[in-house]
Amino acid sequence: MKMFATTIAALATVTLGGCNVLSFGKKEVATPATQAPPTAPTAAASQAQKFVVSANPIASEAGMAVLRRGGSAVDAAIAVQAMLSLVEPQSSGLGGGAFLTYFNAKTGKVEIYDGREVAPAGATPTMLLGSDGQPLPFAQAVMSGRATGVPGAVRMLGQAHADHGTLAWDQLFDDAEQVARKGFVIPPRLGRFLGGQSPQLQAEDVRRYFKGKGGALATTGDRIKNGDYADFLRRLAKQGPDALYTGKTAERIVAKTTGGSLPGTMTLADLAAYRAVKRDPLCGNWRAYIVCTPPPPSSGVGLLELLAILGRTDIDKRGPNDPQSWYLFAEASRLMYADRDLYVGDPKFVNVPVAGLLAPAYIAERAKLIGVTAGPAPAAGVPAGVVTAAADTTREPAGTSHFIVGDAQGNVVSMTTTVESFFGTGRMVDGFFLNNQMTDFAFSPRDAQGRASANAVAPGKRPRSSMTPLVMIDRQGKFAGALGSAGGNAILAYVGKSLVGAVEWKLPMQQALALPNLVARGSSFQGEVTKFSPEILSALAAKGVRLQPGQGEDSGLHGVIVRDGRIDGGFDPRREGKVIVE
């Protein structure tokens, strides 16, 4: 197995509570001699505002209820996830995976909890190919037993709770259990997906769970109960994470994934062996902040590269009504995606040139490729430490959810969570959907030249993820903000756009999140065409950026930023979120 050729330590110019920080200023990169290490707070904040931001009001209320009882940010995050699994099952759930970025107010340290799913021990590099050696049709693969990776969210939350929980584990699921038993009203967004065209809507479990009048699927305004999920939550509360990874639930997961056509290989041993991974964050200086993200297999390195490239432009002198702002963002995004798509994978299995991708000289070289007009799709660069890889063939649907929690002590959770596609594989166990994260791997393990894909399937491997839940810290080591989104590979563009809006253009967080989405990747320019003015669209087209509808309409952004000592929070208006600050 190959590990990082260059460790994160090679990036360091300053250190934040154990986190090595890369400095990438606008024109010149500071050297160690000119940087003073941030000073961690000497004690936890005593007057910190409590806050919860999530994609569903019921989930936000569940998290705040825990905080009001004296629970920690991690305690509340568990309650939020348990509720989202019920009321937003098309996006995330206990049968999926997540990345959690944690800020410890007492130490100033940022910690990463990697709850990404893993491929079963019986997985093979060619498992997503048909008998003809060609990639399986996505709709066929996504609903198969092969699509489910070993779930990671519950085990990861258990580890984070052991480290940072305040309330007992069995006190965190009551609200979700009660709502599951009493029922909840299907909100408009869930209703929209139930009336959509996703192949999962034909799955037996989906049709049984969401059965409406006359054999049709339930719709917005209908009330739905989930007794199976309530029963599971009661067992989960009593038994801890083992309730999912051993016993009857584990047996049902194995049976559900190894049956039918294209069966998977998951075993009880795979479930019992799953472990979350605690990782050091990948952090970089950007403007007045230190931005900390998860390292590979997350794509946090791509987000930091995007910010670094934009830092070499004058986008900060412009604004949302200037077409050049969006042109610069589009071109910087294409350069970043070319690198991310080719090089990022599970660092336990492939060399990921993190240091090379973020090296100042390399960033400067990439930024110089932004010309007057947009040309053909840019090629990946050749950063230091690179190993030749096959062109990426991964597809990432836009399911997923993000939420943020801050407790009274100033600790913060920024967590992105997913079952991958809408309703995962469409297969349910104990009232929750199973993920289809195995289809986040490249279907073709090698290209025509025999080069291996960085994101090819392998036993025990974690698929590459675009999830980048971030935390921002000021130069004194205090919490300054958090941000994240749903949206598949578009997550990086969504989060990057919102950071530019909130930090570069100083917009209120709600306005920054509401800015039109623009996703530029390869030769594709997609976005919310109707939200841009005709003047901006015309100016972009003249520069070779011709926006088309498509990916970009379904972000799930949630963010907070500290302004004048107060929390400025926002939720994505494209969803049904709620911000609660007390």
Side-chain angles (χ1 to χ4, degrees), residues 81 93-100 113-119 148-160 169 236 241 244-245 253 266 270-271 273-277 415-419 432-437 462-463 467:
Q81 176 65 91
L94 302 187
F99 286 92
L100 188 156
Y113 291 85
D114 177 348
R116 186 66 162 157
E117 299 87 341
V118 301
T148 299
V150 182
V154 171
R155 185 66 78 190
M156 180 270 286
L157 287 170
Q159 182 175 346
W169 174 269
L236 180 63
L244 188 146
Y245 295 93
I253 291 174
M266 194 181 304
D270 288 321
L271 285 158
Y274 182 87
R275 297 293 181 271
V277 179
M415 177 169 156
T416 311
T417 172
T418 187
V419 289
F432 58 84
F433 285 102
L434 298 178
N435 71 82
N436 64 286
Q437 293 295 355
R462 296 170 188 241
M467 296 189 287

Side-chain angles (χ1 to χ4, degrees), residues 69-351:
R69 301 203 316 265
S72 70
V74 168
D75 294 336
I78 294 167
V80 171
Q81 176 65 91
M83 191 68 78
L84 285 175
S85 189
L86 175 68
V87 301
E88 199 192 30
Q90 74 275 19
S91 297
S92 76
L94 302 187
F99 286 92
L100 188 156
T101 302
Y102 180 78
F103 174 74
N104 187 316
K106 186 174 183 179
T107 66
K109 184 178 181 180
V110 175
E111 304 166 30
I112 303 297
Y113 291 85
D114 177 348
R116 186 66 162 157
E117 299 87 341
V118 301
T124 65
T126 59
M127 64 178 288
L128 298 175
L129 301 179
S131 58
D132 59 357
Q134 298 301 306
L136 291 167
F138 191 80
Q140 181 182 5
V142 78
M143 294 181 66
S144 72
R146 298 181 188 181
T148 299
V150 182
V154 171
R155 185 66 78 190
M156 180 270 286
L157 287 170
Q159 182 175 346
H161 181 263
D163 292 345
H164 302 293
T166 299
L167 300 179
W169 174 269
D170 64 6
Q171 298 179 31
L172 306 177
F173 302 93
D174 289 349
D175 286 347
E177 181 188 341
Q178 290 178 20
V179 173
R181 293 197 190 281
K182 295 178 180 179
F184 67 97
V185 174
I186 294 177
R189 188 168 183 274
L190 174 54
R192 173 162 62 87
F193 283 108
L194 289 173
Q197 302 297 319
S198 299
Q200 291 91 327
L201 295 179
Q202 302 306 314
E204 179 182 350
D205 290 347
V206 172
R207 301 202 70 83
R208 179 174 57 252
Y209 177 49
F210 291 110
K211 184 179 181 180
K213 298 177 181 178
L217 291 176
T219 189
T220 303
D222 290 344
R223 179 172 289 274
I224 188 169
K225 298 181 180 180
N226 193 336
D228 289 344
Y229 186 60
D231 291 342
F232 173 70
L233 288 181
R234 178 160 293 187
R235 287 193 293 107
L236 180 63
K238 291 181 178 179
Q239 300 174 16
D242 282 348
L244 188 146
Y245 295 93
T246 63
K248 295 297 184 182
T249 296
E251 292 173 3
R252 285 190 276 267
I253 291 174
V254 170
K256 187 69 72 168
T257 57
T258 56
S261 61
L262 296 176
T265 62
M266 194 181 304
T267 66
L268 291 174
D270 288 321
L271 285 158
Y274 182 87
R275 297 293 181 271
V277 179
K278 194 170 180 180
R279 302 185 188 274
D280 290 331
L282 182 59
C283 300
N285 287 333
W286 179 64
R287 305 306 187 201
Y289 302 106
I290 297 168
V291 180
C292 293
T293 69
S298 162
S299 294
V301 61
L303 179 64
L304 293 183
E305 182 183 359
L306 174 61
L307 295 178
I309 293 172
L310 288 172
R312 300 250 172 189
T313 73
D314 64 351
I315 196 171
D316 59 319
K317 302 297 193 295
R318 299 179 180 276
N321 297 320
D322 188 336
Q324 183 66 7
S325 294
W326 297 103
Y327 172 75
L328 292 171
F329 183 77
E331 289 297 272
S333 295
R334 292 209 295 166
L335 291 165
M336 175 274 294
Y337 275 118
D339 288 343
R340 192 294 298 252
D341 292 352
L342 189 64
Y343 297 128
V344 175
D346 186 340
K348 186 178 179 181
F349 291 80
V350 297
N351 176 75

